[in-house]
Amino acid sequence: MRYSVILFLLLTCTSVFAQNGAKDILDKSAAKIKAYPAVEIEFSLIMENKEEDIREEHQGKAYMKGSLYKLEVMDVVNYYDGKNIYTYMPEAQEVNLKNPSDEEEEMLNPTKIFNIHNTGFKQKLISNTGGTAYIELYPNDLNKNFIKIGIWVKTSDSSIQKVKSFGKDGNNLIIKIKSLKQPTQLPTDSFFKFDPAQHPEVEIVDMR
């Protein structure tokens, strides 16, 4: 009985340490990014389904300033001015204007990815070896369309290297960070809003 109690206490302490370690690592990453007045990110977006032998990779770029962002990937440009999302599709010469839902914000907003661990997730430090920490986040809301989110962090400089969403349907979404830096010139707020005057030929579809 005494052995069982000691073992239980050891396991409990290890679990608490892992959770706290995970949060500390991710909090440092978030603090590093928040310290920039604005951020420019180059990344790879990978969509995979191993069972169906599907793997698509696309290159993307994102700009962030506070809660504002501009996201360029898969021939679509998403602007968020703090209130509305403008989805600009150059080939279709169309812009969809809408208020973001919680789900859209979670999937699209690059400003949230670096602080996602503090928004309704249980955290667990899976490993911390070779200069890389691997952390898994488990959603408190079991109705989410993913099982967990994996995050890889370079511990020497607290930089996030990769984020992976494990879909319940086998469709996984992977973001590999290629570079993250402060832009040479600080973008104005208008940079994060689609300007119809610059694109008079584009049809604006208001979906609000």
Side-chain angles (χ1 to χ4, degrees), residues 9 16 35 39 48 64 68 73 114 117 122 126 142 144-145 148 156 169-170 177 183 187 208:
L9 290 173
V16 170
V39 177
E48 68 173 16
M64 304 186 306
L68 313 180
V73 67
F114 301 103
H117 63 288
K122 296 176 183 177
I126 303 300
L142 300 181
K144 297 289 186 183
N145 59 7
K148 61 183 178 181
S156 62
D169 57 1
I177 308 296
R208 292 174 294 182

Side-chain angles (χ1 to χ4, degrees), residues 89-153:
M89 297 163 282
E91 289 189 6
Q93 292 291 284
E94 181 179 307
V95 170
N96 291 334
L97 174 59
K98 53 189 172 181
N99 299 126
S101 66
D102 291 340
E103 189 74 14
E104 286 168 339
E105 276 286 86
E106 189 172 84
M107 297 304 295
L108 284 177
N109 194 335
T111 67
K112 290 195 171 185
I113 192 173
F114 301 103
N115 197 46
I116 195 172
H117 63 288
N118 286 321
T119 56
F121 288 90
K122 296 176 183 177
Q123 311 160 10
K124 185 175 183 181
L125 178 60
I126 303 300
S127 63
N128 192 353
T129 58
T132 300
Y134 173 56
I135 295 163
E136 289 185 345
L137 308 179
Y138 307 94
N140 295 331
D141 182 358
L142 300 181
N143 292 318
K144 297 289 186 183
N145 59 7
F146 55 86
I147 302 168
K148 61 183 178 181
I149 293 176
I151 303 178
W152 287 258
V153 181

Side-chain angles (χ1 to χ4, degrees), residues 41-43 114 160-162 175-180:
I41 307 170
E42 292 186 13
F43 62 92
F114 301 103
I160 292 179
Q161 298 176 307
K162 183 169 69 171
I175 298 173
K176 290 184 178 180
I177 308 296
K178 298 167 66 176
S179 71
L180 189 153

